[in-house]
Amino acid sequence: MTVSVEVIVVGGGPAGLSAALNLVRARRRVLVVDGNRPRHAATLQAHGFLTRDGVAPSELRRLGREEVSGYDDADVVFAQVSDVSVEEHGFRVRGRGVRGGADVDALASAVVIATGVTETMPDLPSLRAFYGTQLHSCLECDGFEKAGEPLALIGETTDLVERALLLTQWTDDLIVFTNGVAPVSDDEERALARLGVRVERRAIDDVVGEKGVMTGVRLADGTVVERAGGFVRPLWTPAVSFADVLDLDRDSDGYLVTDAQGRTSAPGVYAAGETTAPGAQQLIVAAGSGAVVAAAVNRDLIGITMDDAAVL
C-alpha cells in the first residue's frame, strides 16, 4: 500500500530527525525512513552536543526517534531506501524494511536527504578493533579525551598536515603516519617538527594492541611504534546513490550542492547534514542543518518567496 505524506525525510540521524521534528511542529505530515546504518555505530560516546555531552550516539538517535514519533503526524520507520522517483505531484520513495520493518512505498510533496556519508578506512586489518575506543575520526569530538597521550594520526589524504596542527592543541606527543601515501612536503614536515610532531612515512602493517587496548602501530618492516591511541582520517563518500535518478548537482567530491537553506538543484528536494559539503561534521552541526532545512521546506510548501517576505 502506498502512503501519502507531505515530507519524506530519508535518514534518521541528527540532521534528519531534527528536520522531521521541526517540520511536524509546523504541522506537516512527515515520514522518516531510516536505514539504521549509522556512521557512528562504533562510537561509544558523542561529545560537544549541548545538554548531551558524552551521550552514546545510539541513545541520541533513540531519543530523537521517540521525540519525532511522539507527534501524531510523524512516523519513523526502519527501511533502506532503494530509489526516489519523480511523480506527477511530487516524489515516490521506496525501500526495503530492515530490523523487521515493513517495506516502504510513500508519496510526498518534498524529500529531505539526510543519509550522511559512508567511511572507507585505511586498509589495516585490525583498525576496526580499536575504532570508536582508542581510535577516532573527529578531532573536535574526541580530542579532549585524548589530551596528553602519545597519539598517532593515520591517514592517506592531502589534509593530514592540517589535522596534525589541530591535534597539537591536545597533545605534545604526536606522530603522523602517512602509510607511504599521504603527501607531506619537506617544508610541512619541518613545520611540524618545530611543534614537536614527527612524520613517519613508512608503510603501515597494522595497528596492534592487547585485550582490546591499542598499544602501537606496526610498520611494514616490523618496527612497532608505541602509541596509546589516536585519530584516523577516513575517506568519506556521500550516501546518496538511491537518488541518482534525480540527477542532483554535486561538487567535485560528490557532495550535494545546495543553497544556504539546503535546497538542491531539483525543486522539492533538500539535503541536510553530511550529504552536503564539507561532509562529515559534529552531530550538533548536523542537527542544526536539519533545523535550517526544515524552515526552508515549510516556507516552500506554503509558497512564500523572498519577494513575498520583503512585502510582508
Side-chain angles (χ1 to χ4, degrees):
M1 179 177 118
T2 303
V3 300
S4 294
V5 295
E6 290 179 280
V7 186
I8 297 172
V9 179
V10 185
L17 290 171
S18 176
L21 180 62
N22 283 276
L23 282 164
V24 73
R25 288 184 55 78
R27 304 186 73 180
R28 297 295 180 185
R29 287 175 290 113
V30 182
L31 174 65
V32 179
V33 185
D34 182 15
N36 197 39
R37 295 180 180 175
R39 182 171 69 87
H40 299 281
T43 302
L44 300 180
Q45 292 183 324
H47 295 283
F49 202 113
L50 192 63
T51 79
R52 291 292 183 270
D53 190 44
V55 69
S58 59
E59 177 69 2
L60 189 66
R61 292 167 69 93
R62 184 190 67 79
L63 291 169
R65 290 194 298 268
E66 287 184 356
E67 289 182 351
V68 171
S69 59
Y71 288 82
D72 291 340
D73 285 335
D75 288 300
V76 181
V77 298
F78 288 121
Q80 189 67 41
V81 171
S82 55
D83 66 275
V84 179
S85 58
V86 180
E87 300 289 312
E88 183 178 357
H89 299 294
F91 304 92
R92 186 175 188 178
V93 174
R94 286 174 287 201
R96 182 177 297 279
V98 297
R99 283 188 59 182
D103 292 350
V104 169
D105 188 352
L107 299 173
S109 300
V111 173
V112 177
I113 298 174
T115 42
V117 296
T118 58
E119 292 183 327
T120 302
M121 298 290 185
D123 188 17
L124 304 176
S126 302
L127 190 150
R128 286 284 182 183
F130 306 103
Y131 188 59
T133 51
Q134 279 84 50
L135 287 174
H136 307 274
S137 61
C138 177
L139 309 185
E140 293 81 3
C141 305
D142 299 291
F144 183 86
E145 281 65 37
K146 297 299 180 186
E149 296 183 8
L151 300 180
L153 173 60
I154 301 170
E156 302 173 357
T157 58
T158 58
D159 62 353
L160 211 57
V161 171
E162 175 187 346
R163 298 173 80 81
L165 292 172
L166 288 170
L167 270 175
T168 60
Q169 295 177 263
W170 292 288
T171 184
D172 57 5
D173 188 354
L174 175 65
I175 299 177
V176 177
F177 293 85
T178 70
N179 200 22
V181 176
V184 177
S185 71
D186 292 340
D187 287 343
E188 289 173 329
E189 184 171 357
R190 283 190 287 270
L192 289 174
R194 287 194 290 271
L195 296 173
V197 178
R198 173 182 150 200
V199 176
E200 176 53 72
R201 297 178 182 272
R202 285 175 288 179
I204 301 172
D205 176 58
D206 204 359
V207 181
V208 297
E210 297 178 1
K211 298 180 179 179
V213 177
M214 178 179 166
T215 57
V217 177
R218 185 172 63 232
L219 304 177
D221 63 8
T223 303
V224 175
V225 182
E226 293 185 358
R227 298 285 91 184
F231 291 82
V232 61
R233 172 56 161 103
L235 293 176
W236 291 303
T237 305
V240 293
S241 59
F242 64 88
D244 284 349
V245 70
L246 299 176
D247 196 25
L248 303 173
D249 287 350
R250 304 192 190 190
D251 69 8
S252 58
D253 294 314
Y255 294 103
L256 297 179
V257 174
T258 69
D259 67 9
Q261 286 73 46
R263 299 179 182 92
T264 71
S265 57
V269 180
Y270 306 77
E274 297 179 336
T275 57
T276 64
Q281 305 161 351
Q282 288 179 274
L283 300 182
I284 196 166
V285 175
S289 168
V292 170
V293 169
V297 174
N298 187 54
R299 293 171 70 88
D300 292 350
L301 289 175
I302 293 173
I304 298 175
T305 66
M306 293 301 293
D307 290 340
D308 293 331
V311 170
L312 294 173

